[in-house]
Amino acid sequence: MIEGLAVFCISGCIGLELYCGVRLKRILRIRSEERTDNRRAYYRDKAYKTKAEARALKDARQELWRRLQK
């Protein structure tokens, strides 16, 4: 009887540990995906900002060149 109870308790602990491991893995995967999305958004915004600055400089140079040619 005691051995059956011990087996039941041990198997319950193992099952609980497996369940917690699966939940932890899922939580970590979700966090990783969120961090990846945030990182991508940051670099995408940075790229758009850099591109806009470069375009503004190019437009300013072209406008200056046009004024000088008149």
Side-chain angles (χ1 to χ4, degrees):
M1 166 105 179
I2 298 226
E3 290 134 3
L5 185 59
V7 169
F8 179 73
C9 287
I10 291 171
S11 63
C13 289
I14 291 172
L16 181 62
E17 191 170 336
L18 288 173
Y19 173 75
C20 290
V22 169
R23 294 274 304 189
L24 181 63
K25 185 176 179 181
R26 181 173 173 240
I27 290 169
L28 293 176
R29 182 176 41 91
I30 290 170
R31 282 186 178 177
S32 175
E33 289 171 356
E34 289 173 353
R35 282 194 310 267
T36 300
D37 292 343
N38 290 339
R39 192 178 318 114
R40 285 180 180 163
Y42 169 77
Y43 285 113
R44 182 174 47 247
D45 292 342
K46 187 176 177 182
Y48 284 136
K49 183 179 177 185
T50 304
K51 185 70 173 174
E53 290 172 354
R55 182 169 297 176
L57 285 173
K58 181 184 118 193
D59 291 344
R61 280 193 305 268
Q62 287 177 347
E63 181 64 28
L64 179 63
W65 185 250
R66 282 189 212 120
R67 286 183 183 180
L68 291 174
Q69 287 184 344
K70 286 184 180 181

PDB file of all heavy atoms in Angstrom, residues 19-37:
ATOM      1  N   TYR A  19       4.527  19.356 -16.737  1.00  0.00           N
ATOM      2  CA  TYR A  19       3.540  20.386 -17.049  1.00  0.00           C
ATOM      3  C   TYR A  19       4.147  21.778 -16.875  1.00  0.00           C
ATOM      4  O   TYR A  19       4.006  22.638 -17.746  1.00  0.00           O
ATOM      5  CB  TYR A  19       2.316  20.219 -16.143  1.00  0.00           C
ATOM      6  CG  TYR A  19       1.320  21.336 -16.277  1.00  0.00           C
ATOM      7  CD1 TYR A  19       0.481  21.421 -17.384  1.00  0.00           C
ATOM      8  CD2 TYR A  19       1.209  22.320 -15.299  1.00  0.00           C
ATOM      9  CE1 TYR A  19      -0.438  22.446 -17.513  1.00  0.00           C
ATOM     10  CE2 TYR A  19       0.298  23.359 -15.420  1.00  0.00           C
ATOM     11  CZ  TYR A  19      -0.527  23.410 -16.522  1.00  0.00           C
ATOM     12  OH  TYR A  19      -1.421  24.435 -16.645  1.00  0.00           O
ATOM     13  N   CYS A  20       4.848  21.990 -15.781  1.00  0.00           N
ATOM     14  CA  CYS A  20       5.478  23.287 -15.532  1.00  0.00           C
ATOM     15  C   CYS A  20       6.555  23.579 -16.580  1.00  0.00           C
ATOM     16  O   CYS A  20       6.706  24.724 -17.013  1.00  0.00           O
ATOM     17  CB  CYS A  20       6.076  23.337 -14.131  1.00  0.00           C
ATOM     18  SG  CYS A  20       4.827  23.381 -12.830  1.00  0.00           S
ATOM     19  N   GLY A  21       7.283  22.563 -16.980  1.00  0.00           N
ATOM     20  CA  GLY A  21       8.307  22.743 -18.007  1.00  0.00           C
ATOM     21  C   GLY A  21       7.709  23.161 -19.331  1.00  0.00           C
ATOM     22  O   GLY A  21       8.232  24.053 -20.016  1.00  0.00           O
ATOM     23  N   VAL A  22       6.611  22.551 -19.703  1.00  0.00           N
ATOM     24  CA  VAL A  22       5.944  22.904 -20.953  1.00  0.00           C
ATOM     25  C   VAL A  22       5.417  24.332 -20.885  1.00  0.00           C
ATOM     26  O   VAL A  22       5.558  25.112 -21.828  1.00  0.00           O
ATOM     27  CB  VAL A  22       4.797  21.907 -21.258  1.00  0.00           C
ATOM     28  CG1 VAL A  22       3.920  22.390 -22.401  1.00  0.00           C
ATOM     29  CG2 VAL A  22       5.372  20.531 -21.568  1.00  0.00           C
ATOM     30  N   ARG A  23       4.798  24.689 -19.750  1.00  0.00           N
ATOM     31  CA  ARG A  23       4.279  26.055 -19.588  1.00  0.00           C
ATOM     32  C   ARG A  23       5.408  27.080 -19.633  1.00  0.00           C
ATOM     33  O   ARG A  23       5.293  28.130 -20.256  1.00  0.00           O
ATOM     34  CB  ARG A  23       3.530  26.194 -18.255  1.00  0.00           C
ATOM     35  CG  ARG A  23       2.265  25.397 -18.142  1.00  0.00           C
ATOM     36  CD  ARG A  23       1.117  26.105 -18.698  1.00  0.00           C
ATOM     37  NE  ARG A  23       0.993  27.397 -18.038  1.00  0.00           N
ATOM     38  CZ  ARG A  23      -0.036  28.194 -18.196  1.00  0.00           C
ATOM     39  NH1 ARG A  23      -1.016  27.829 -18.969  1.00  0.00           N
ATOM     40  NH2 ARG A  23      -0.089  29.350 -17.592  1.00  0.00           N
ATOM     41  N   LEU A  24       6.527  26.770 -18.968  1.00  0.00           N
ATOM     42  CA  LEU A  24       7.664  27.680 -18.940  1.00  0.00           C
ATOM     43  C   LEU A  24       8.232  27.865 -20.348  1.00  0.00           C
ATOM     44  O   LEU A  24       8.555  28.980 -20.760  1.00  0.00           O
ATOM     45  CB  LEU A  24       8.738  27.163 -17.989  1.00  0.00           C
ATOM     46  CG  LEU A  24       9.982  28.017 -17.836  1.00  0.00           C
ATOM     47  CD1 LEU A  24       9.619  29.371 -17.242  1.00  0.00           C
ATOM     48  CD2 LEU A  24      10.992  27.325 -16.947  1.00  0.00           C
ATOM     49  N   LYS A  25       8.335  26.774 -21.083  1.00  0.00           N
ATOM     50  CA  LYS A  25       8.844  26.862 -22.451  1.00  0.00           C
ATOM     51  C   LYS A  25       7.935  27.728 -23.308  1.00  0.00           C
ATOM     52  O   LYS A  25       8.408  28.548 -24.100  1.00  0.00           O
ATOM     53  CB  LYS A  25       8.948  25.454 -23.043  1.00  0.00           C
ATOM     54  CG  LYS A  25       9.566  25.424 -24.409  1.00  0.00           C
ATOM     55  CD  LYS A  25       9.723  24.009 -24.907  1.00  0.00           C
ATOM     56  CE  LYS A  25      10.320  23.998 -26.302  1.00  0.00           C
ATOM     57  NZ  LYS A  25      10.466  22.637 -26.814  1.00  0.00           N
ATOM     58  N   ARG A  26       6.633  27.598 -23.133  1.00  0.00           N
ATOM     59  CA  ARG A  26       5.669  28.400 -23.893  1.00  0.00           C
ATOM     60  C   ARG A  26       5.808  29.881 -23.532  1.00  0.00           C
ATOM     61  O   ARG A  26       5.822  30.743 -24.415  1.00  0.00           O
ATOM     62  CB  ARG A  26       4.258  27.922 -23.595  1.00  0.00           C
ATOM     63  CG  ARG A  26       3.207  28.665 -24.349  1.00  0.00           C
ATOM     64  CD  ARG A  26       1.829  28.034 -24.139  1.00  0.00           C
ATOM     65  NE  ARG A  26       0.825  28.864 -24.746  1.00  0.00           N
ATOM     66  CZ  ARG A  26      -0.179  29.416 -24.091  1.00  0.00           C
ATOM     67  NH1 ARG A  26      -0.337  29.206 -22.808  1.00  0.00           N
ATOM     68  NH2 ARG A  26      -1.055  30.156 -24.726  1.00  0.00           N
ATOM     69  N   ILE A  27       5.916  30.181 -22.258  1.00  0.00           N
ATOM     70  CA  ILE A  27       6.063  31.570 -21.811  1.00  0.00           C
ATOM     71  C   ILE A  27       7.348  32.172 -22.367  1.00  0.00           C
ATOM     72  O   ILE A  27       7.364  33.303 -22.857  1.00  0.00           O
ATOM     73  CB  ILE A  27       6.035  31.651 -20.272  1.00  0.00           C
ATOM     74  CG1 ILE A  27       4.625  31.342 -19.765  1.00  0.00           C
ATOM     75  CG2 ILE A  27       6.492  33.022 -19.783  1.00  0.00           C
ATOM     76  CD1 ILE A  27       4.543  31.137 -18.263  1.00  0.00           C
ATOM     77  N   LEU A  28       8.444  31.429 -22.310  1.00  0.00           N
ATOM     78  CA  LEU A  28       9.717  31.927 -22.822  1.00  0.00           C
ATOM     79  C   LEU A  28       9.680  32.149 -24.326  1.00  0.00           C
ATOM     80  O   LEU A  28      10.257  33.108 -24.837  1.00  0.00           O
ATOM     81  CB  LEU A  28      10.850  30.981 -22.449  1.00  0.00           C
ATOM     82  CG  LEU A  28      11.178  30.902 -20.952  1.00  0.00           C
ATOM     83  CD1 LEU A  28      12.242  29.849 -20.703  1.00  0.00           C
ATOM     84  CD2 LEU A  28      11.618  32.246 -20.416  1.00  0.00           C
ATOM     85  N   ARG A  29       8.992  31.281 -25.047  1.00  0.00           N
ATOM     86  CA  ARG A  29       8.863  31.440 -26.496  1.00  0.00           C
ATOM     87  C   ARG A  29       8.073  32.697 -26.822  1.00  0.00           C
ATOM     88  O   ARG A  29       8.445  33.476 -27.713  1.00  0.00           O
ATOM     89  CB  ARG A  29       8.187  30.219 -27.112  1.00  0.00           C
ATOM     90  CG  ARG A  29       8.069  30.294 -28.625  1.00  0.00           C
ATOM     91  CD  ARG A  29       7.490  29.016 -29.221  1.00  0.00           C
ATOM     92  NE  ARG A  29       6.403  28.458 -28.450  1.00  0.00           N
ATOM     93  CZ  ARG A  29       5.107  28.750 -28.650  1.00  0.00           C
ATOM     94  NH1 ARG A  29       4.761  29.573 -29.599  1.00  0.00           N
ATOM     95  NH2 ARG A  29       4.171  28.199 -27.911  1.00  0.00           N
ATOM     96  N   ILE A  30       6.989  32.936 -26.095  1.00  0.00           N
ATOM     97  CA  ILE A  30       6.177  34.131 -26.325  1.00  0.00           C
ATOM     98  C   ILE A  30       6.987  35.393 -26.039  1.00  0.00           C
ATOM     99  O   ILE A  30       6.966  36.355 -26.803  1.00  0.00           O
ATOM    100  CB  ILE A  30       4.892  34.079 -25.471  1.00  0.00           C
ATOM    101  CG1 ILE A  30       3.948  32.997 -26.009  1.00  0.00           C
ATOM    102  CG2 ILE A  30       4.189  35.433 -25.455  1.00  0.00           C
ATOM    103  CD1 ILE A  30       2.772  32.700 -25.102  1.00  0.00           C
ATOM    104  N   ARG A  31       7.736  35.391 -24.937  1.00  0.00           N
ATOM    105  CA  ARG A  31       8.582  36.541 -24.607  1.00  0.00           C
ATOM    106  C   ARG A  31       9.637  36.779 -25.679  1.00  0.00           C
ATOM    107  O   ARG A  31       9.925  37.917 -26.043  1.00  0.00           O
ATOM    108  CB  ARG A  31       9.269  36.334 -23.263  1.00  0.00           C
ATOM    109  CG  ARG A  31       8.392  36.582 -22.083  1.00  0.00           C
ATOM    110  CD  ARG A  31       9.226  36.485 -20.833  1.00  0.00           C
ATOM    111  NE  ARG A  31       8.438  36.769 -19.654  1.00  0.00           N
ATOM    112  CZ  ARG A  31       8.914  36.686 -18.429  1.00  0.00           C
ATOM    113  NH1 ARG A  31      10.158  36.318 -18.221  1.00  0.00           N
ATOM    114  NH2 ARG A  31       8.146  36.963 -17.398  1.00  0.00           N
ATOM    115  N   SER A  32      10.217  35.689 -26.167  1.00  0.00           N
ATOM    116  CA  SER A  32      11.233  35.814 -27.211  1.00  0.00           C
ATOM    117  C   SER A  32      10.633  36.419 -28.477  1.00  0.00           C
ATOM    118  O   SER A  32      11.250  37.280 -29.107  1.00  0.00           O
ATOM    119  CB  SER A  32      11.832  34.443 -27.506  1.00  0.00           C
ATOM    120  OG  SER A  32      12.723  34.514 -28.578  1.00  0.00           O
ATOM    121  N   GLU A  33       9.439  35.982 -28.840  1.00  0.00           N
ATOM    122  CA  GLU A  33       8.780  36.533 -30.019  1.00  0.00           C
ATOM    123  C   GLU A  33       8.465  38.012 -29.828  1.00  0.00           C
ATOM    124  O   GLU A  33       8.618  38.811 -30.757  1.00  0.00           O
ATOM    125  CB  GLU A  33       7.506  35.750 -30.319  1.00  0.00           C
ATOM    126  CG  GLU A  33       7.769  34.354 -30.842  1.00  0.00           C
ATOM    127  CD  GLU A  33       6.507  33.510 -30.932  1.00  0.00           C
ATOM    128  OE1 GLU A  33       5.421  33.968 -30.513  1.00  0.00           O
ATOM    129  OE2 GLU A  33       6.609  32.365 -31.406  1.00  0.00           O
ATOM    130  N   GLU A  34       8.045  38.393 -28.616  1.00  0.00           N
ATOM    131  CA  GLU A  34       7.770  39.806 -28.343  1.00  0.00           C
ATOM    132  C   GLU A  34       9.041  40.643 -28.453  1.00  0.00           C
ATOM    133  O   GLU A  34       9.030  41.736 -29.024  1.00  0.00           O
ATOM    134  CB  GLU A  34       7.158  39.970 -26.957  1.00  0.00           C
ATOM    135  CG  GLU A  34       5.740  39.466 -26.843  1.00  0.00           C
ATOM    136  CD  GLU A  34       5.219  39.492 -25.417  1.00  0.00           C
ATOM    137  OE1 GLU A  34       6.009  39.773 -24.489  1.00  0.00           O
ATOM    138  OE2 GLU A  34       4.020  39.229 -25.240  1.00  0.00           O
ATOM    139  N   ARG A  35      10.132  40.136 -27.898  1.00  0.00           N
ATOM    140  CA  ARG A  35      11.404  40.867 -27.987  1.00  0.00           C
ATOM    141  C   ARG A  35      11.844  40.998 -29.442  1.00  0.00           C
ATOM    142  O   ARG A  35      12.333  42.050 -29.862  1.00  0.00           O
ATOM    143  CB  ARG A  35      12.482  40.167 -27.168  1.00  0.00           C
ATOM    144  CG  ARG A  35      12.383  40.418 -25.692  1.00  0.00           C
ATOM    145  CD  ARG A  35      13.633  39.990 -24.958  1.00  0.00           C
ATOM    146  NE  ARG A  35      14.078  38.651 -25.256  1.00  0.00           N
ATOM    147  CZ  ARG A  35      13.753  37.562 -24.576  1.00  0.00           C
ATOM    148  NH1 ARG A  35      12.972  37.651 -23.529  1.00  0.00           N
ATOM    149  NH2 ARG A  35      14.225  36.382 -24.913  1.00  0.00           N
ATOM    150  N   THR A  36      11.663  39.934 -30.211  1.00  0.00           N
ATOM    151  CA  THR A  36      12.029  39.972 -31.630  1.00  0.00           C
ATOM    152  C   THR A  36      11.192  41.007 -32.371  1.00  0.00           C
ATOM    153  O   THR A  36      11.721  41.784 -33.174  1.00  0.00           O
ATOM    154  CB  THR A  36      11.848  38.580 -32.268  1.00  0.00           C
ATOM    155  OG1 THR A  36      12.685  37.653 -31.581  1.00  0.00           O
ATOM    156  CG2 THR A  36      12.198  38.588 -33.738  1.00  0.00           C
ATOM    157  N   ASP A  37       9.891  41.022 -32.104  1.00  0.00           N
ATOM    158  CA  ASP A  37       9.017  41.995 -32.756  1.00  0.00           C
ATOM    159  C   ASP A  37       9.405  43.418 -32.369  1.00  0.00           C
ATOM    160  O   ASP A  37       9.427  44.316 -33.222  1.00  0.00           O
ATOM    161  CB  ASP A  37       7.553  41.737 -32.396  1.00  0.00           C
ATOM    162  CG  ASP A  37       7.025  40.443 -32.994  1.00  0.00           C
ATOM    163  OD1 ASP A  37       7.660  39.920 -33.931  1.00  0.00           O
ATOM    164  OD2 ASP A  37       5.981  39.953 -32.513  1.00  0.00           O
TER     165      ASP A  37
END
